[in-house]
Amino acid sequence: MLFRSEADTTWAAVFSIKEQVYQAAEVLRQNKVIKQFLQTQVAITLPESLAHLQTFTEWRTVLLVAEVTCTVDESIPEPEVSVTPVEYEKCDRCWRYDATVSDQVCARCADVVEVVQ
């Protein structure tokens, strides 16, 4: 369980990383490499002090991107991000760009559609 000061520090780091991602993605968008941030994948390198964020399961949702990978590097003082375009197809149901898109929907949506039918 995180205490209030730890939670504040954690969320401050998440939003700082989000800002870095958006700045890098905006450059790609302005250069017409991508049309939307959802068309990007992000590699985050965390300092040891933020290593707990490596297991944060909501990166993709918070950053509104297709894919996120996290690593820890003890030698860096601040988080570093790299943003690149993805070659995935867009899911017609959830609009996410995903490696699992087949027959116009991603694996997650295919499971939902199967249950609903």
Side-chain angles (χ1 to χ4, degrees):
M1 177 191 278
L2 292 176
F3 293 103
R4 180 140 176 96
S5 63
E6 292 171 320
D8 289 347
T9 301
T10 295
W11 283 108
V14 168
F15 288 119
S16 174
I17 290 167
K18 183 176 182 174
E19 182 62 30
Q20 287 180 319
V21 168
Y22 278 20
Q23 287 175 3
E26 182 61 20
V27 171
L28 293 176
R29 194 188 65 75
Q30 287 180 357
N31 291 329
K32 300 190 186 309
V33 176
I34 61 168
K35 290 182 181 180
Q36 315 169 314
F37 293 178
L38 286 169
Q39 294 174 292
T40 61
Q41 59 189 0
V42 177
I44 302 171
T45 306
L46 300 164
E48 183 67 34
S49 62
L50 296 174
H52 65 283
L53 289 178
Q54 187 174 16
T55 58
F56 182 55
T57 59
E58 298 301 321
W59 277 121
R60 185 174 167 180
T61 303
V62 170
L63 299 177
L64 296 172
V65 298
E67 188 173 291
V68 178
T69 57
C70 288
T71 57
V72 176
D73 183 343
E74 299 171 0
S75 67
I76 62 171
E78 298 292 324
E80 297 176 359
V81 301
S82 171
V83 180
T84 55
V86 294
E87 299 296 325
Y88 303 151
E89 295 294 319
K90 183 178 178 180
C91 174
D92 284 350
R93 182 176 178 272
C94 69
W95 292 16
R96 287 185 173 185
Y97 288 81
D98 195 287
T100 66
V101 172
S102 175
D103 296 326
Q104 300 176 324
V105 293
C106 65
R108 181 177 143 265
C109 288
D111 290 343
V112 171
V113 170
E114 186 177 311
V115 168
V116 171
Q117 293 176 348

